[in-house]
Amino acid sequence: MELRDIEIFLTLAEELHFGRTAERLRVSQARVSQAIGKQERRLGVALFDRTSRRVTLTPVGRRLREDLQQALDLLKEGLARAEAAGLGAGRTLRLGVFGHAGHVLRPLVDAFRTRYPGADVQFGEIYGSDPFTALRTGEHDVHVLWLPVAEPDLTVGPTVLTGGRVLAVPADHPLAERGTASLEDLADNHVVDLGPDAPEYWVASMVPTRTPLGRRIPRGPTARTFHEILSLVAAGHCVHPLGEIAARYNRPPGVVFLPMHDAPTLQWALTWRSTADSPAVRALAQTAADLGPISL
């Protein structure tokens, strides 16, 4: 029995529905039926009872499911151990993050280190003004970027962080007294211009060009780094939306962070250069997928 046929059998044994099994495995329903029929002919016994209304396992099918699941689990464990040994030979992934995101991502990094002893993660800082260059040059292996990322040469992996947005305003700004901000408030102020190296669609997902009512949001002055943004805000030159993680780990003088109650939740995902895919990158992505997103 081929490994793919085993996978089809075990998935059908779980779903008990040919259509859902085909959809889950991304194969045709005919392929599922073909694989099960082939197994039953080879074994000389029915594995499933089928009616027009439902699919159930036969006693032989139930026993085979238990046996094959144990065998498949052992196979996966063996492959995982082999992969861990290969990754553990001093492999360090360079992970680009914004500001203090590395601290929030500690559960992911700790899980990765536990799964792959000897492998490690080294953080590097990235800026909203230039989110992709370090990936494309190979300086970093993976970035954690807010979505969407729609670059043809980059692969978007699992979401690792979710959180809201805050608006950085000068401490003496009228909004600071109000204690909260909305997307509409952006039209009455200037926001930072991140420059030409960050695609407009990507910047706009954090800092829209228009408010929900259609008013234009003025851009300028220009800043490159997070600290430059905060310096311009503190000086009263602008306001600027940021991920709420900025408010959690920063208390810059002259700046107040206000929750933006109507801003959509941000999702941050692992992103890497498609041509630089590697077992280590895939292992980090799988660890992230198993762990699930961290909520800020």
Side-chain angles (χ1 to χ4, degrees):
M1 189 180 293
E2 296 180 1
L3 185 59
R4 185 57 164 170
D5 290 337
I6 294 174
E7 186 179 23
I8 290 173
F9 168 77
L10 290 174
T11 304
L12 182 59
E14 180 181 342
E15 294 288 349
L16 296 176
H17 191 282
F18 280 79
R20 288 196 299 269
T21 298
E23 183 178 354
R24 181 168 153 185
L25 296 177
R26 298 183 180 179
V27 298
S28 68
Q29 191 167 328
R31 173 71 176 90
V32 176
S33 298
Q34 196 176 57
I36 298 302
K38 175 184 173 184
Q39 293 169 26
E40 290 179 327
R41 287 191 299 273
R42 179 176 176 274
L43 297 171
V45 65
L47 300 174
F48 295 90
D49 287 326
R50 296 97 146 160
T51 70
S52 59
R53 289 190 164 187
R54 64 177 189 162
V55 176
T56 58
L57 280 163
T58 65
V60 174
R62 286 195 296 272
R63 178 59 188 270
L64 183 62
R65 178 185 60 182
E66 294 172 4
D67 292 343
L68 289 182
Q69 189 62 63
Q70 290 178 12
L72 187 61
D73 290 343
L74 287 172
L75 177 61
K76 288 180 177 179
E77 289 173 10
L79 291 172
R81 283 193 295 270
E83 185 178 27
L87 291 174
R91 181 69 170 97
T92 297
L93 282 176
R94 295 159 295 181
L95 181 62
V97 298
F98 293 101
H100 294 86
H103 180 73
V104 179
L105 291 168
R106 279 295 301 276
L108 169 60
V109 173
D110 289 346
F112 177 70
R113 288 169 175 162
T114 299
R115 284 190 181 187
Y116 305 101
D120 204 359
V121 172
Q122 182 181 65
F123 291 107
E125 189 170 9
I126 54 177
Y127 307 111
S129 59
D130 189 11
F132 305 135
T133 297
L135 280 180
R136 288 171 171 151
T137 61
E139 180 182 349
H140 292 160
D141 299 299
V142 185
H143 279 181
V144 176
L145 298 170
W146 71 71
L147 299 178
V149 173
E151 303 295 304
D153 59 327
L154 301 181
T155 296
V156 178
T159 298
V160 293
L161 294 174
T162 62
R165 253 172 280 203
V166 296
L167 184 65
V169 304
D172 58 356
H173 195 285
L175 285 174
E177 296 183 8
R178 199 171 76 190
T180 186
S182 74
L183 291 171
E184 286 300 323
D185 293 323
L186 299 180
D188 302 320
N189 301 272
H190 278 74
V191 298
V192 167
D193 182 349
L194 292 177
D197 293 326
E200 179 56 36
Y201 80 87
W202 185 76
V203 174
S205 62
M206 173 71 81
V207 192
T209 57
R210 292 188 178 273
T211 70
L213 293 179
R215 295 193 296 159
R216 189 178 69 84
I217 299 173
R219 274 176 159 71
T222 300
R224 187 179 68 88
T225 70
F226 173 70
H227 295 291
E228 287 177 1
I229 292 173
L230 294 183
S231 295
L232 289 169
V233 171
H237 296 305
C238 61
V239 302
H240 198 75
L242 299 163
E244 66 175 293
I245 190 174
R248 181 176 297 186
Y249 295 105
N250 293 277
R251 294 290 185 271
V255 176
V256 174
F257 296 107
L258 305 176
M260 300 188 73
H261 58 84
D262 59 346
T265 298
L266 287 170
Q267 294 187 324
W268 310 71
L270 297 180
T271 306
W272 59 89
R273 194 168 79 255
S274 300
T275 56
D277 193 5
S278 69
V281 170
R282 291 194 299 274
L284 180 65
Q286 185 60 56
T287 304
D290 294 342
L291 188 66
I294 299 168
S295 297
L296 296 173

